[in-house]
Amino acid sequence: EVQLVESGGGLVQPGGSLRLSCAASGFTFSGYSLNWVRQAPGKGLEWVSYITGSSRTKYYADSVKGRFTISRDNAKNSLYLQMNSLRDEDTAVYYCARDMGSGWANDHWGQGTMVTVSS
Amino acid sequence: QSVLTQPPSVSAAPGQKVTISCSGSTSNIGNNYVSWYRHLPGTAPKLLIYENNKRPSGIPDRFSGSKSGTSATLGITGLQTGDEADYYCGTWDSSLSAVVFGGGTKLTVL
């Protein structure tokens, strides 16, 4: 069974940093690209970042470019999101999702981890 | 303002059919596959449709997808109260080099 479990969320002050993790199991981790997607309170889904299985290609939403860094450790079956210079508008539930390898669709998602940026 | 445009809400009675539209442009829907998701806030989103009209295993055939030009549509037949959720379309935008989602549509089963 495919499982994605996010962790690392919490309360952080504006300008601070946080590192999210996503532990994966139930599939050949290195064979799949992964995404981070977030949902701010009362808002819709917003894509944050994408990384290929080899880490060769990474994409970022304009709203986080230069502040967030996506990475992965295939030996540990883990995905990460390093978030720096956090802003109030980064407050959201952050989901990791597996790209199914067809048409940019995500076929498995974690339950999410909450990040609150507030003073 | 989302790159993909969805109606904020739709409603229908149990047993009826509903469609949810998703409008984009040539840089996204017009030249890329569309996927659809169901989401209840606080839970994991669920993939309903990929590659415009394909259903993952376990998704009933009450759910269907179609695409024409720069627009896509999700159809749900035989509505059940359990179908109440937020529905999102998504695709790749070649101009932005980004995954884009619609703003979401809240389905109410009256």
Side-chain angles (χ1 to χ4, degrees):
Chain A
E1 179 192 4
V2 173
Q3 285 197 327
L4 298 167
V5 180
E6 302 92 340
S7 62
L11 175 64
V12 61
Q13 292 187 339
S17 298
L18 210 56
R19 188 197 196 203
L20 304 184
S21 300
C22 174
S25 60
F27 63 101
T28 303
F29 185 73
S30 61
Y32 288 86
S33 300
L34 297 163
N35 289 278
W36 285 103
V37 178
R38 68 185 181 184
Q39 183 178 39
K43 303 292 187 181
L45 297 178
E46 179 191 15
W47 171 78
V48 173
S49 187
Y50 164 93
I51 187 170
T52 54
S54 66
S55 300
R56 183 171 302 174
T57 300
K58 302 175 185 180
Y59 296 114
Y60 297 92
D62 285 345
S63 58
V64 306
K65 204 170 291 183
R67 300 187 299 121
F68 290 12
T69 301
I70 192 170
S71 63
R72 63 191 295 162
D73 185 335
N74 288 342
K76 295 182 178 180
N77 286 358
S78 293
L79 172 71
Y80 306 103
L81 186 68
Q82 177 65 45
M83 304 186 295
N84 299 330
S85 303
L86 283 162
R87 306 168 180 168
D88 292 350
E89 55 264 35
D90 294 319
T91 294
V93 175
Y94 285 74
Y95 299 97
C96 66
R98 188 183 82 165
D99 185 303
M100 68 184 299
S102 180
W104 298 92
N106 293 286
D107 61 349
H108 290 277
W109 298 64
Q111 293 293 320
T113 186
M114 182 71 202
V115 172
T116 303
V117 183
S118 175
S119 53
Chain B
Q1 192 80 4
S2 301
V3 172
L4 306 180
T5 301
Q6 297 180 233
S9 63
V10 296
S11 62
Q16 296 302 302
K17 174 182 179 178
V18 71
T19 60
I20 298 172
S21 62
C22 177
S23 177
S25 67
T26 54
S27 66
N28 42 67
I29 292 178
N31 284 285
N32 293 288
Y33 286 121
V34 176
S35 53
W36 288 91
Y37 304 88
R38 177 171 67 189
H39 186 222
L40 287 167
T43 68
K46 186 178 187 65
L47 177 67
L48 299 174
I49 298 289
Y50 68 100
E51 288 186 5
N52 303 332
N53 56 20
K54 296 179 180 179
R55 285 176 286 105
S57 61
I59 301 300
D61 58 8
R62 299 191 299 111
F63 295 89
S64 64
S66 64
K67 188 182 99 167
S68 178
T70 59
S71 293
T73 301
L74 172 70
I76 310 173
T77 60
L79 279 171
Q80 305 168 2
T81 56
D83 293 328
E84 289 197 333
D86 298 320
Y87 291 82
Y88 294 88
C89 56
T91 187
W92 176 254
D93 191 297
S94 305
S95 295
L96 298 174
S97 291
V99 173
V100 290
F101 289 105
T105 299
K106 183 176 184 62
L107 169 63
T108 301
V109 181
L110 302 167

